Amino acid sequence: MIFEQLKQKKYPSDAAFDTIYPKKYQDHSARHFTPVRIAVKASRLLVDSPADRILDIGSGVGKFCSIGSCITGAQFYGVEKRKILTNVSNRIKKTHQLKNAHFINDDFTNLDFEQFNGIYFFNSFHEHFDETCVLDETSKVSLAVYKKYHENLMTKLNECRTGTRLVTYYTFKNKIPSSFRFIDANETKLLKFYIKK
Ligand SMILES: C[S@@+](CC[C@H](N)C(=O)[O-])C[C@H]1O[C@@H](n2cnc3c(N)ncnc32)[C@H](O)[C@@H]1O
């Protein structure tokens, strides 16, 4: 079983891992969902203790939360505005008994970020910026929507408690408020780690 392998630090290829998802989401995975090895690295940066509560902003089919909760034992929460993707996430949670992964069907702006001491963000608003970034028929380019979500993200990140960890993937530094101190990036510079001042 794929989650047992993860616990034993045997990391499957993304193609092998993604077979847990319906075919149409397997086809989207390379562009829209975090690769297994990046999810492992990001989770380790975010989690210090099993009591930690980590939020994935725009959790898609739940790939990051499923992997992170499995390998760290901390509580991972994914907030996702598309109901169909939250349903896929909850089906995977049930099938694979992922007790520490939780999926909320909502807009991230409705959550209280002070509840979390770790945040993960994989450039979730890009579908409003780039017409090649299509997840489904509701994807729509609108610079006004893109700008509004990023402003909301800045506000929410500024509300986080001191010491909150933040890991971003494919996200420029200028999208993160100066209340977060940049700590490090991985070798490709795509994964960045910050801590709230
Ligand atoms: C690039 S995918 C990332 C998926 C997941 N974080 C992962 O790494 O595997 C971005 C997701 O963010 C969701 N999203 C975009 N804007 C959102 C919002 N305002 N609130 C909640 N989810 C949102 C999209 O529906 C999409 O599923």
Side-chain angles (χ1 to χ4, degrees):
M1 178 183 158
I2 213 129
F3 288 99
E4 285 309 316
Q5 288 175 20
L6 280 173
K7 280 185 193 153
Q8 292 161 20
K9 301 191 177 172
K10 291 180 192 154
Y11 303 127
S13 67
D14 284 286
F17 183 87
D18 292 341
T19 57
I20 66 174
Y21 300 118
K23 175 76 173 75
K24 80 184 229 198
Y25 298 118
Q26 293 178 32
D27 296 342
H28 280 305
S29 186
R31 177 88 194 253
H32 293 278
F33 307 132
T34 302
V36 173
R37 280 173 175 72
I38 295 292
V40 169
K41 188 165 179 110
S43 306
R44 296 231 166 91
L45 287 168
L46 286 168
V47 174
D48 198 30
S49 118
D52 286 341
R53 293 163 59 91
I54 312 302
L55 174 68
D56 179 10
I57 303 172
S59 48
V61 290
K63 188 170 176 181
F64 173 73
C65 288
S66 299
I67 294 171
S69 66
C70 167
I71 65 159
T72 67
Q75 304 298 320
F76 277 64
Y77 295 81
V79 62
E80 169 55 54
K81 67 178 182 179
R82 288 178 162 93
K83 182 146 183 49
I84 192 162
L85 300 187
T86 313
N87 290 347
V88 171
S89 307
N90 276 320
R91 266 203 305 278
I92 302 285
K93 169 186 165 78
K94 194 170 171 205
T95 306
H96 297 276
Q97 300 177 345
L98 304 173
K99 290 195 298 288
N100 301 340
H102 313 279
F103 299 104
I104 306 156
N105 179 220
D106 206 344
D107 193 290
F108 78 96
T109 54
N110 293 325
L111 296 195
D112 172 9
F113 276 38
E114 284 191 70
Q115 293 180 74
F116 305 100
N117 53 350
I119 309 282
Y120 178 70
F121 180 69
F122 174 11
N123 203 12
S124 292
F125 319 132
H126 201 63
E127 64 181 311
H128 301 299
F129 182 79
D130 175 356
E131 63 188 11
T132 72
C133 184
V134 177
L135 186 49
D136 62 21
E137 64 290 346
T138 67
S139 294
K140 187 166 168 266
V141 169
S142 161
L143 290 187
V145 172
Y146 179 78
K147 206 164 155 256
K148 187 192 84 186
Y149 275 142
H150 262 297
E151 282 167 8
N152 284 331
L153 178 67
M154 290 279 200
T155 303
K156 287 290 175 186
L157 290 176
N158 279 327
E159 287 168 9
C160 289
R161 284 178 282 137
T162 297
T164 301
R165 295 166 182 226
L166 168 69
V167 171
T168 65
Y169 189 47
Y170 273 98
T171 302
F172 289 119
K173 275 190 193 166
N174 66 2
K175 299 291 177 200
I176 302 304
S178 58
S179 61
F180 276 81
R181 185 162 51 95
F182 173 72
I183 306 293
D184 205 0
N186 73 341
E187 55 289 348
T188 64
K189 311 284 183 227
L190 294 175
L191 198 69
K192 299 189 184 73
F193 179 42
Y194 305 79
I195 296 185
K196 180 86 190 288
K197 293 179 201 165

